Amino acid sequence: MGFLATLKRSRIVHLMFAITFFTSGLIINFFQCILYFGLRPFSKYLYRKINYYLCYSFYSQLVFMAEWWSGTDVIIYIDKKDFEKYYGKEHGYLVMNHSYEIDWLMGWMFCERIRMLGNCKAYAKKSIQYIPTLGWAWKFAESIFLERSWDKDKETIGAQIRELADYPDTMWLLLYAEGTRFTPEKAEASQKFAKEKGLPVLKHHLTPRTRGFTASIPHLRGKVGAIYDIQLAFKPSDTVKPTMTNLLLGKKVEAHMYINRIPLDTVPEGDEAAAQWLHDIYQVKDRMADSFVKTGDFFETSGVPRTDSFKLERRIWSLVNTMFWAIVVLVPMLYYLVRLFLSGSTMYFSIGVGIIVLFFLLMYKTIGMSEISKSSSYGAAETKKAK
């Protein structure tokens, strides 16, 4: 156990992860690009079928880090009848709290276990689509990129959702209605805004921004079966905090994920009514979060009916896929790095060092993007855009 823990903390091993992840990502991006321009104009159906597996091959390397490398697991709270009947069998629109650095990765773990990972979509800032590997993969996967210019974004949302609703296989689209991760500073600004606008004051969430939600709903009707309301939490008493750095170091965390399937036709017509519906959902989410913080249980004091809880078995494919890419990438990469270092040439040696430094920078830059301290603000300038 001592050796394994040391191995998981090794910077050399982390470098191997970085080399494998980013190099395989560029290879996958290359094939996605060829298919996007060479196949998609003639057959969106076939393009999306193939791209599912390319996205899965890339995303599942991060799932591997969570569930196999660190041993992280998720306790699921779902009505089992709904789970067996609907989950992974219909298009879904996901509304999830945005409170942790790895909340999205816990969602990916769940999606992997119900065979949905390759068709996970999300709303994201437009600038992300220009980031090599992950941003490019999201672009080719037809995620929805927004400019935070409402006139442009409203058109983008409508056009893109109409495209996504035509997916040949089950597709899930994720919305973080809060717009950014929860922090005490952002919560203070959010609560001030809510009081000024006469909106519900939330304790554990930021006031949801309803424009994206209300603009999406009309285009989802008749095409997407349900809204999946997701509440994710980690126990505050856990000694290991839910961060990407801790997962990379092989430290296990345990997530608790409540999901409630809500038929989309129960969302009222009209922007104002739909916005109020979303605010009502977030009041329930806030009570669940408060109950979990105080009692370690979503249901104890929230008034939400208790539902089934269980774990899904992890599948072997994220492990197999990561091992495949490790062999394909690391064998030739390490061979050429060794040749550079042993060449006797100062220039070649410098190139080898530069390559290693580049991969380290890419790794820590990617981790930094997930850190709460690096997420966008929720200040006065932005809250003016909310409703």
Side-chain angles (χ1 to χ4, degrees), residues 61-77:
Q61 293 180 58
L62 294 175
V63 173
F64 159 82
M65 185 179 70
E67 64 181 6
W68 290 97
W69 183 251
S70 75
T72 290
D73 211 343
V74 182
I75 299 175
I76 308 297
Y77 302 83

Side-chain angles (χ1 to χ4, degrees), residues 182-237:
F182 181 94
T183 67
E185 294 76 19
K186 295 171 193 173
E188 183 178 353
S190 175
Q191 290 165 2
K192 179 180 178 182
F193 172 80
K195 291 175 182 177
E196 291 173 351
K197 299 297 182 180
L199 298 172
V201 177
L202 305 177
K203 184 177 179 181
H204 302 282
H205 300 80
L206 307 179
T207 299
R209 299 169 179 181
T210 60
R211 276 184 170 180
F213 178 80
T214 58
S216 301
I217 292 298
H219 303 287
L220 297 169
R221 294 189 188 277
K223 299 177 181 179
V224 172
I227 291 175
Y228 289 79
D229 174 27
I230 303 175
Q231 189 65 26
L232 184 80
F234 296 86
K235 290 186 176 180
S237 59

Side-chain angles (χ1 to χ4, degrees), residues 154-172:
K154 187 174 182 180
E155 294 181 7
T156 299
I157 288 170
Q160 198 66 30
I161 285 180
R162 287 192 293 272
E163 286 282 332
L164 294 177
D166 291 332
Y167 254 69
D169 298 314
T170 304
M171 176 278 305
W172 276 5

